[in-house]
Structure formats: C-alpha cells, structure tokens
C-alpha cells in the first residue's frame, strides 16, 4: 500500500509531487508515484451541518425554537466539492499512512481534521509542517515529518473555534433577525469589530473642534537659520497671538538651553501578516483581503516568500542560514546594489531584534525565499518589494542622528526647536530611492497621524550657546483640534490585533497578539464580511459605518448583551483558543461557556421590543444598504433561500430585485438573490430551482445569472472544475429543474 498525502489546494499538491515524486502520473484529481499518492482538498470539503440536519423544524426561523445547541455537531460534505471528497475516500482505501500537508496553521489543521472525521479515516497520520514551498524545504519537511498526535491540541482549538462561531452566529443571527424582521448578521468576531467602528464613529460625532493659534519664531545665528514654536498655554485668541508675534519680531534673543544627544534608529521588525496588511493599505491602498491574496500567491504560486499567515516578527536560529541564502539569491536582481552594501555579520543567532525563538510559535516572520521572482503582476511586485526591503534592512546598521533640542528666549518668551540631524543613513539607504518612507514599525506607528514638530535635516546643524540670536520674523498659524480619524483597513487591523486597546508599546503589543480579535489569517475575511452584510462601506481608504451597522450595535447593546460587542471579551476568547492549542486550557470548558453565552443572547433578545424597520435605513432611504442586503444572509447561515421564515423572506424580498422569471417548467415564480444562491419565490410550494452564487470557481453576478436563465449560457470566462483544475469556457444551464450548471469548453 502507498502513503496518501492530502494537501490543502491543488497547487500545493503539485508542488509537493514535483519535489518528492517528480515522475508521478497525473490523474487530474490526484497524482500517483511509486511511493506516494498526492491529492488535495479545495478549501473546506466538509462543513458543520445546518440546523435542519438536527430537526426539520429549524427550516423555519422561529425565536421560540432557540437556542440551537447540538449535543454533537454533525458534519456534511460541501455540495460543490463533493466529488473531490469521494476521490479522497477512494484513495484512502489504498493507503496505510496519511500525511496531513494542509497549510501549517490552525485552519489547515481543521480542514484535514474535518475530512478525517467525516470519512472516518483510521490510518496513522504524519504532519508536514513547512513555511515555504521551495523544493528544498518540501524535501526537508518530508525528511522531518512530525507525528500527527503532536497536533491534537491544535485540532481541538480549531474545532472549538469553528463550533463556537456556529453557536454564536447561528443563535445570535436567528434571534435578532426574527425579533426585528430584518436580516441581522451576528458573529463572535465580526460583531466586536463592528463595535470598534461604531465607537470610533460616535467619538467623531461627539467631537467639538477648537480653534487655536501657534506662534512660530524664525531665528538666525551667523549662517544658521531655524524655527521655533512658542511654549505656553494654548492661545485661542487670535489678537493675543498677533500681539505676541509683534512683540518678538525683529528683536534680539538668546539661547536659554541647548542639548545635543546622539540617537540610533534600528531597522523596523520583519513583517507578520497583520503588519504587512497595515502597511500595504497605508502605502498602496490595498484592502486586507487583497494583501492576503497577493501574499498567498507569492507563497503558493511563485514560491518567493515564506508562509504569510504568521503573527511573528522574528525568526528562529534555524532560519538564519536561510536568510543568508535568500540574500545571496537577490544578487543580480534589481536589489543588487543593496545586496552589495549588506553587512552579513549583522544577521546572526545572537541578534535578538531578528532572532528570538521564544517569540516564534507556529511560523516565523515573512521572508523572501532563495527563489528569484519572475512573472509577478504589478501588485504582486509591490507587495514583494515591501517584504524584500524590510528583509534587506536587517543586514544594515542603525541610522545615526544627532538630536538638537534648543530653547530660544526673546523678550522673555520661549520657543522650542528640535532638529534631527542625520549622521549615518544606515538601513534607511534601502528606502532612499523612494519619495517617502511611509512604511512604519509598531514602535512609532502612532506618529503616523501626528504633526511632527521636529525637523529632520541631512546637513550639519550647530549653534553657539553664548552667541545672540536674531528673531527675523514671527508668524501666527491658525490651527484646529482634530477629531479622531476614521478607521482605514490598516488602522482597523491594528485595533483588531490589540483587541481595541490603544497600544503603542512594542513589547505590550506582542503580548496582546494572543488576545486579539481573530487571527492574522481571518481578519481580512472579517472586514470583508462587514462590507458584504452592509454594516460598513468604504469612502476611499476610510471605513464608514452605515445606518444599518449603527442600528445593529445599538440593538445588541440595548438587548443587554454588551459582551457580544466587547473587543476585549472576544480577545480573551481568542487567547483561550491559543491556550487550548498549547494544551494549557480545556476545550470542553471553553465550549460550555460559549453555550451559556449563546443561551443568554437568546433569552435577552426575547425580551427586547421590535425595532422600527426604518431605523435600519439611511436618511436617503434603503438604497445604500440594498445592494449589500443580498449578501447578508451568508452570515446568518440559512441553508438556502427556501429555509427562511416568513419574516425573513419579507425582509429579503424587499431588499432584492427580481433577476428573471423561474425557468423551471410549469413554475411561474421569480428568481431572487438569497443567501448562497439565486432561488425561486415559489420555493414554499415546492420549486427547488437554485443557482449557487459560488459556481465553478466564480462568484456569479446578477447579469450572469440572468444570462443563464434567459439565454442558457454566459460569456466565456476562466473557471475551475470540481477537481480544482483550471478551465476556460462558458457556464451553461444544464438542468432547468434544479439549476445545475456545467462548463462548455
């Protein structure tokens, strides 16, 4: 018998085969060589069952049937990838050993565990745990396979996370939706994140701006000119500020104090995923999801970076030689000049700014691999450039400055000047060819939104303490206190990482990573979900709260379940999941607490008065949220459009428009968009026609569904077969009874 390798995706499976079974025969859904059979999942092949799998009554949404708390959670195949699951089941019968080669993280562990549990696979399991997909790393990983039992705690944590999300999402969403007759999506992580946006919005609205005036003195001593800001209580009277400026203008003064201090700025830490997402958003406006997708392509498709879904900014001792190899591989590329200037002796096992094994859990910081980058898209190149420059900066010394702090006195009025004089450029040479080095490390990210009073210069600066100073001019500058800024995806990711706490201290930030909202791998999806269900919307980079998002938070807090909106509380849950993965906490106790919480949510919502439906709409009517209402049902987890209560149907119907008439013979219904698909308005009387939104690797649009129903086909496009292989062709409506689609090449 042979060993069955189960990878997470087809590309990964083929990479593995190329490294360890290069002569393996390709059977499309798997590859087979002399020793190994290599196949793959396509994301989640197995899911938690919907409520009606436990009892038919749950097909209709009724608050009196809540809470829904299964004794044991049932698993069901994902209907779209059922064929691939059957392939794995058949291949497993020919194998006496399984190798879990899914992504090396909690979610990858969960994907394999679901397959193993559903198919009741009893073979012993080995675990491939690697951080990049270069052939060398894959071969080394297979030479150092770990026993599957070592990851049992991680499996427990993954299962607890999944079931906890089901319990909170299912019960919370059904309770609020049926009570208020509007689709309301509630989630263990998404709701506290929405609360962060809500609270920031309230701060902005409550902010009262104050006008004030700065007096700026322009001074000269010999050949040196400099500016200083008046030191005193804030001036809110413009006349007083003008009088002060007039008082010192064209007068002689003295240097009351002058301090010069040598300082160093060390390179920013290597990237973890959240920091990479934040900076890609700041520099390029990339959404968190886009950055994650690009990073995954650089890792999986191009193999030019290490595993991106990491929460560590450090490497282990084993990674130091790899870093030196990656540096060598950058020779002859566009980074050749920086490689030639690199000091290899700076990256070593004793450098705790880079190598700190105690702060590396599952995966080290994101690094370039020793493979040369070729064929990258423009956006992939931008992200790769961020990663490479941050990596290269570790091979450069600190930037050195002299900081001059001057207090100038004129007519007994004092003015402060801070000049930062660059002496040695050090690692900042890596960024010298860019207009502005916007990327920032955690330790000074708070300065991003502040106006700096210090002046940075590259020319020598010096003053004589004993020599007079002339005030050549004095200017009055009108200013205004600023409200808190709207979240961007970058700043929201930062808030999620620290469970909403304003943390600037780097060490404390590291400590809070275990109790953030979600994980590096899931935060992007959470933000996308809030957009999809219509709770937030984008205005450029700014995240704005919709009226619906506002009402949802107010209803949840009004019901007395404030804990559901608490970032800190949910952060504690995430920390507990991390403790479960380490074997220091009980998953059973965690789940008992989640069940109690789900029950409490339902009990509180029952007592709540029904909200006015208009409270969910913007001042301009429902137009703004209407488009998003279509996608909202995904989060409330009703299985199909046919499985909603009458109250929910009314809400969905009012929010959706007719796509087309139902093509099912003898049916006179209309097709509306539902939770996961486009279903018929006559489903309550037996019409089972549905076209699933996600189909053959595409997220179908209204116009494509309309074309399928009215013309029987779409235009040509790139698609994915059920086995994960790419295809190009049209989608055709193969069965008018059911809505089943097929690919026409």
């Amino acid at each position: 018998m042979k060993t069955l390798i189960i990878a997470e995706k087809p590309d990964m499976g083929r990479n593995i085969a190329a490294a360890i079974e290069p002569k393996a025969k390709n059977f499309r859904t798997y590859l087979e060589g002399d020793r190994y059979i290599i196949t793959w999942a396509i994301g989640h092949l197995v899911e938690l069952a919907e409520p009606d799998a436990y009892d038919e009554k749950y097909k209709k949404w009724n608050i009196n049937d809540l809470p829904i708390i299964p004794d044991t959670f049932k698993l069901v195949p994902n209907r779209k990838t059922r064929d691939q699951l059957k392939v794995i089941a058949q291949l497993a019968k020919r194998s006496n050993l399984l190798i879990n080669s899914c992504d090396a993280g909690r979610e990858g562990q969960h994907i394999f565990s679901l397959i193993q549990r559903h198919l009741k696979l009893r073979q012993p399991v080995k675990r491939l745990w690697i951080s990049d997909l270069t052939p060398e790393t894959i071969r080394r990983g297979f030479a150092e396979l770990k026993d599957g039992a070592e990851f049992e705690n991680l499996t427990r944590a993954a299962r607890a996370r999944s079931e906890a999300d089901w319990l909170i999402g299912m019960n919370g969403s059904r309770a609020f939706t049926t009570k208020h007759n509007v689709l309301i999506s509630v989630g263990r992580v998404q709701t506290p994140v929405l609360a962060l946006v809500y609270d920031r919005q309230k701060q902005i609205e409550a902010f009262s701006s104050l006008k004030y005036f700065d007096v700026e003195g322009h001074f000269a001593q010999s050949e040196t000119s400099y500016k200083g800001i008046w030191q005193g209580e804030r001036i809110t009277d413009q006349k007083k500020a003008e009088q002060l400026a007039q008082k010192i203008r064209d007068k002689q003064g003295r240097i009351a104090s002058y301090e010069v201090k040598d300082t160093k700025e060390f390179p920013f830490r290597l990237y973890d995923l959240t920091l990479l997402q934040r900076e890609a958003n700041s520099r390029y406006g990339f959404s968190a999801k886009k950055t994650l997708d690009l990073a995954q392509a650089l890792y999986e498709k191009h193999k030019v970076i290490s595993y991106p879904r990491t929460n560590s900014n450090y490497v282990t001792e084993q990674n130091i030689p790899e870093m030196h190899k990656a540096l060598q591989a950058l020779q002859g590329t566009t980074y050749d000049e920086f490689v030639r200037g690199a000091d290899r002796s700076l990256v070593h096992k004793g450098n705790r700014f880079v190598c700190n094994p105690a702060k590396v859990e599952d995966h080290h910081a994101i690094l370039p691999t020793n493979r040369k980058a070729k064929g990258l898209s423009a956006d992939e190149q931008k992200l790769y450039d961020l990663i490479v420059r941050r990596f290269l900066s570790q091979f450069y010394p600190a930037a050195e400055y002299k900081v001059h702090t001057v207090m100038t006195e004129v007519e007994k009025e004092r003015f402060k000047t801070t000049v930062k004089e660059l002496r040695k450029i050090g690692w900042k040479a890596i960024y010298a060819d860019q207009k502005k080095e916007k990327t920032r490390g955690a330790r000074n990210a708070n300065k991003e939104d502040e106006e700096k009073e210090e002046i940075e210069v590259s020319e020598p600066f010096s003053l004589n303490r004993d020599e007079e100073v002339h005030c050549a001019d004095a200017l009055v500058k009108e200013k205004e206190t600023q409200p808190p800024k709207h979240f961007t995806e970058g700043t929201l990711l930062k808030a999620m990482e620290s469970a909403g706490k304003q943390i600037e201290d780097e060490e404390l930030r590291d400590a809070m990573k275990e109790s953030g909202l979600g994980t590096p791998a899931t935060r992007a999806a959470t933000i996308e979900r809030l957009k999809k269900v219509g709770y937030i919307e984008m205005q450029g980079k700014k995240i704005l709260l919709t009226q619906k998002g506002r009402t949802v938070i107010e209803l949840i807090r009004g019901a007395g379940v404030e804990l559901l909106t608490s970032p800190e509380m949910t952060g504690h849950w995430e920390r507990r999941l991390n403790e479960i993965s380490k074997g220091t906490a009980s998953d059973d106790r965690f789940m008992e607490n989640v069940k109690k919480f789900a029950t409490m949510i339902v009990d509180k919502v029952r007592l709540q008065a029904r909200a006015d439906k208009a409270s969910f709409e913007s001042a301009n009517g429902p137009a703004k949220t209407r488009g998003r209402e279509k996608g909202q049902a995904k989060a409330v987890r009703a299985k199909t459009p046919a499985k909603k209560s009458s109250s929910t149907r009314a809400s969905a119907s009012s929010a959706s428009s007719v796509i087309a008439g139902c093509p099912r013979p003898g049916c006179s219904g209309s097709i509306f968009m539902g939770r996961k698909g486009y279903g018929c308005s006559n489903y309550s009387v037996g019409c089972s026609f549905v076209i699933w939104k996600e189909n053959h690797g595409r997220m179908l649009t209204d116009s494509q569904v309309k074309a399928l129903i009215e013309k029987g086909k779409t235009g040509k496009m790139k698609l994915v077969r059920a086995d994960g292989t790419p295809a190009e062709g049209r989608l055709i409506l193969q069965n008018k009874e059911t809505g089943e689609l097929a690919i026409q090449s």
Side-chain angles (χ1 to χ4, degrees):
M1 299 187 87
K2 297 181 181 180
T3 297
L4 177 62
I5 298 169
I6 301 176
E8 187 162 326
K9 296 175 184 173
D11 277 353
M12 184 179 289
R14 295 184 187 105
N15 287 332
I16 290 170
I20 64 167
E21 280 277 20
K23 295 182 180 179
K25 188 174 180 183
N26 190 344
F27 290 92
R28 208 165 67 119
T29 56
Y30 67 96
L31 298 112
E32 185 167 353
D34 295 333
R35 294 178 57 198
Y36 299 107
I37 304 171
I38 303 104
T39 190
W40 42 80
I42 309 168
H44 283 268
L45 301 184
V46 180
E47 302 171 333
L48 295 180
E50 298 288 339
D52 56 85
Y54 302 94
D55 193 316
E56 283 288 310
K57 70 181 180 182
Y58 295 135
K59 284 185 176 180
K60 290 190 175 181
W61 291 27
N62 188 331
I63 197 168
N64 296 319
D65 292 333
L66 302 177
I68 306 169
I69 300 179
D71 292 327
T72 302
F73 283 83
K74 295 181 180 181
L75 302 179
V76 294
N78 182 325
R79 67 181 303 278
K80 292 178 291 184
T81 54
R82 191 176 292 160
D83 290 345
Q84 186 63 16
L85 187 64
K86 290 177 182 176
V87 168
I88 294 175
Q90 291 299 317
L91 295 175
K93 293 175 182 177
R94 300 169 46 204
S95 307
N96 58 0
L97 176 68
L98 305 178
I99 297 180
N100 175 4
S101 297
C102 293
D103 279 357
R106 189 169 77 186
E107 207 56 31
Q109 192 70 17
H110 189 47
I111 287 171
F112 178 86
S113 173
L114 289 172
I115 294 169
Q116 187 184 29
R117 283 164 53 203
H118 182 69
L119 296 180
K120 297 181 172 60
L121 303 180
R122 300 288 179 244
Q123 296 92 329
V125 176
K126 294 288 185 182
R127 184 58 158 114
L128 177 69
W129 194 269
I130 55 176
S131 285
D132 66 63
L133 291 174
T134 59
E136 299 86 355
T137 300
I138 293 170
R139 284 191 284 268
R140 185 169 66 247
F142 271 87
E144 300 170 355
L145 287 172
K146 301 175 185 294
D147 196 287
E150 293 180 34
F151 298 87
E152 279 306 306
N153 289 327
L154 185 62
T155 301
R156 288 191 184 96
R159 181 171 179 172
R161 191 281 306 159
S162 174
E163 294 177 358
D165 285 348
W166 193 99
L167 287 168
I168 300 301
M170 190 68 68
N171 288 291
S173 298
R174 287 191 174 211
F176 279 102
T177 296
T178 53
K179 169 58 76 171
H180 300 291
N181 198 25
V182 172
L183 280 166
I184 297 176
S185 172
V186 169
R188 183 182 65 87
V189 175
Q190 77 172 51
T191 302
V193 175
L194 177 62
L196 288 175
V197 179
Y198 174 91
D199 291 339
R200 176 64 60 87
Q201 183 68 37
K202 295 292 281 185
Q203 289 172 2
I204 293 168
E205 290 168 0
F207 182 82
S208 181
S209 181
L210 174 69
K211 188 182 291 185
Y212 67 97
F213 301 89
D214 272 350
V215 178
E216 181 182 88
H218 291 220
F219 308 111
Q221 185 191 77
S222 300
E223 300 300 316
T224 304
S225 299
Y226 63 99
K227 300 174 185 177
I229 301 296
W230 180 76
Q231 301 298 290
E233 290 186 8
R234 179 174 283 171
I235 301 174
T236 56
D237 183 341
Q238 185 174 2
K239 188 174 181 181
K240 183 179 177 181
E242 295 285 3
Q243 288 172 346
L244 196 155
Q246 183 61 36
K247 176 183 177 182
I248 65 165
R249 194 176 284 125
D250 203 27
K251 300 288 175 61
Q252 296 300 108
R254 69 183 186 92
I255 294 176
S257 66
Y258 181 26
E259 293 180 0
V260 182
K261 185 170 69 174
D262 291 326
T263 64
K264 292 183 178 182
E265 284 188 15
F266 291 90
F268 298 137
R269 288 180 178 176
L270 292 164
Y271 285 122
D272 59 21
L273 177 59
T274 302
L275 186 56
L276 180 64
Q277 288 170 316
R278 283 167 50 191
E279 297 193 357
N281 179 255
S282 174
R283 182 179 282 278
Y284 301 119
F286 291 171
S287 69
K289 181 181 184 301
K290 180 172 183 175
T291 297
L292 177 57
D293 290 345
L294 291 170
Q296 196 67 23
L298 292 172
Y299 164 67
E300 201 169 276
K301 178 182 175 183
H302 301 289
K303 307 174 196 63
V304 293
I305 67 167
S306 62
Y307 186 72
R309 297 168 187 249
T310 175
N311 70 344
S312 178
N313 304 100
Y314 300 92
V315 302
T316 66
E317 295 175 352
Q318 289 74 29
N319 301 127
I320 297 297
E322 295 173 15
M323 290 181 71
H324 284 270
K325 287 179 185 174
L327 179 69
Q328 189 72 20
L330 289 168
Q331 279 189 331
T333 68
T334 54
Y335 303 100
D336 186 68
E337 180 185 347
F338 300 138
V339 175
R340 283 189 274 111
D343 183 350
R344 288 156 176 78
S345 69
L346 292 174
V347 175
H348 56 84
K349 296 176 183 178
N351 181 350
R352 284 293 175 260
F353 287 102
V354 176
C355 182
N356 195 336
K359 294 187 177 180
V360 179
E361 293 179 9
D362 296 334
H363 296 287
H364 56 73
I366 302 172
L367 301 171
T369 66
N370 59 11
R371 174 171 287 209
K372 282 185 166 54
K374 295 177 182 177
L376 304 187
S377 69
D379 287 343
E380 287 170 345
Q381 180 60 48
K382 287 176 181 176
L383 200 70
Y384 180 68
D385 183 68
L386 281 180
I387 294 165
V388 171
R389 287 180 190 258
R390 183 61 62 94
F391 164 79
L392 286 167
S393 70
Q394 310 306 311
F395 291 89
Y396 278 70
E400 296 182 14
Y401 293 90
K402 278 189 181 295
V403 179
H404 304 257
T405 305
V406 185
M407 196 68 73
T408 305
E409 186 177 286
V410 181
E411 297 293 308
K412 296 185 180 180
E413 304 291 349
R414 293 201 165 196
F415 295 79
K416 185 178 180 181
T417 304
T418 305
V419 175
K420 193 175 175 185
E421 178 192 350
L422 179 65
R423 302 304 299 272
K424 292 183 180 178
I425 193 168
W427 63 272
K428 292 195 173 184
I430 301 293
Y431 299 95
D433 62 331
Q434 298 183 337
K435 288 182 180 178
K436 185 179 180 183
E437 208 289 283
K438 291 183 181 178
T439 58
R440 299 187 182 274
R443 67 172 178 266
N444 73 341
N446 60 314
K447 294 180 182 177
E448 207 164 36
D449 298 331
E450 295 177 0
E451 183 178 349
K452 289 186 177 181
E453 290 189 356
E454 69 180 18
I455 302 164
E456 188 167 329
V457 298
S458 55
E459 299 297 322
F461 179 89
S462 67
L463 293 170
N464 187 332
R465 288 177 175 82
D466 303 320
E467 189 177 322
E468 272 195 339
V469 171
H470 177 66
C471 180
D473 199 1
L475 304 179
V476 173
K477 294 194 169 182
E478 182 179 311
K479 297 197 173 181
E480 205 170 24
T481 54
Q482 297 298 311
K485 290 184 179 291
H486 285 280
F487 279 117
T488 64
E489 289 203 27
T491 56
L492 184 57
L493 284 166
K494 179 184 175 185
M496 291 170 74
E497 187 178 49
S498 58
K501 291 187 175 180
Q502 297 302 310
I503 295 175
E504 307 302 346
D505 180 81
E506 202 163 347
E507 296 301 320
L508 190 55
R509 173 181 172 269
D510 280 346
M512 279 299 297
K513 279 187 175 183
E514 288 193 358
S515 54
L517 294 177
T519 66
T522 61
R523 287 173 189 143
T526 298
I527 295 173
E528 290 301 311
R529 191 175 302 121
L530 291 174
K531 294 177 192 175
K532 192 166 188 177
V533 299
Y535 292 167
I536 62 173
E537 59 188 9
M538 302 303 297
Q539 186 183 83
K541 286 186 183 180
K542 285 194 282 189
I543 295 174
L544 302 183
L545 184 73
T546 66
Q547 180 59 37
K548 185 167 190 178
R550 182 189 297 267
T551 301
V552 166
I553 291 298
E554 290 171 353
L555 282 176
I556 292 170
R557 288 176 171 167
V561 284
E562 295 91 340
L563 282 178
L564 186 55
T565 68
S566 167
E568 193 168 345
M569 171 69 181
T570 309
H572 288 323
W573 289 0
E574 199 65 51
R575 182 169 62 188
R576 192 54 46 87
L577 288 168
N578 277 313
E579 289 169 353
I580 292 167
S581 70
K582 296 171 185 174
T584 58
S586 164
D587 54 324
D588 289 337
R589 186 174 298 174
F590 172 79
M591 289 304 299
E592 282 305 312
N593 288 333
V594 173
K595 289 172 184 177
K596 288 177 185 176
F597 188 56
T599 302
M600 185 193 79
I601 292 170
V602 173
D603 291 342
K604 296 275 190 181
V605 175
R606 273 200 189 97
L607 302 175
Q608 193 173 33
R610 175 170 287 183
D612 183 346
K613 192 168 183 180
S615 67
F616 294 90
E617 299 171 356
S618 68
N620 299 321
K624 274 195 172 184
T625 57
R626 183 176 293 138
R628 292 180 178 82
E629 189 91 30
K630 299 174 187 175
Q632 178 160 342
K634 184 169 184 179
V636 300
R637 303 181 65 99
K639 190 170 185 180
T640 69
K643 302 193 185 294
K644 299 173 188 168
S645 68
S646 58
S647 63
T648 306
R649 288 198 300 270
S651 169
S653 297
S654 67
S656 305
S657 55
V658 176
I659 303 298
C662 181
R664 187 169 179 262
C667 181
S668 58
S670 300
I671 300 300
F672 291 87
M673 178 190 265
R675 173 191 168 243
K676 286 187 175 180
Y678 295 81
C680 180
S681 58
N682 284 343
Y683 57 77
S684 59
V685 292
C687 181
S688 58
F689 182 91
V690 61
I691 293 177
W692 303 103
K693 281 187 208 171
E694 292 185 36
N695 227 305
H696 292 82
R698 301 284 299 198
M699 182 66 75
L700 297 182
T701 64
D702 291 4
S703 58
Q704 288 167 340
V705 172
K706 185 178 176 70
L708 281 163
I709 292 170
E710 295 180 352
K711 300 177 183 177
K713 61 184 178 181
T714 66
K716 282 194 174 182
M717 52 187 167
K718 290 182 179 179
L719 301 162
V720 178
R721 294 189 181 94
D723 62 4
T725 56
E728 189 164 343
R730 305 175 191 274
L731 283 177
I732 60 169
L733 181 58
Q734 185 166 281
N735 190 327
K736 289 186 177 180
E737 290 280 341
T738 64
E740 183 183 352
L741 306 183
I743 297 176
Q744 183 184 68
S745 299

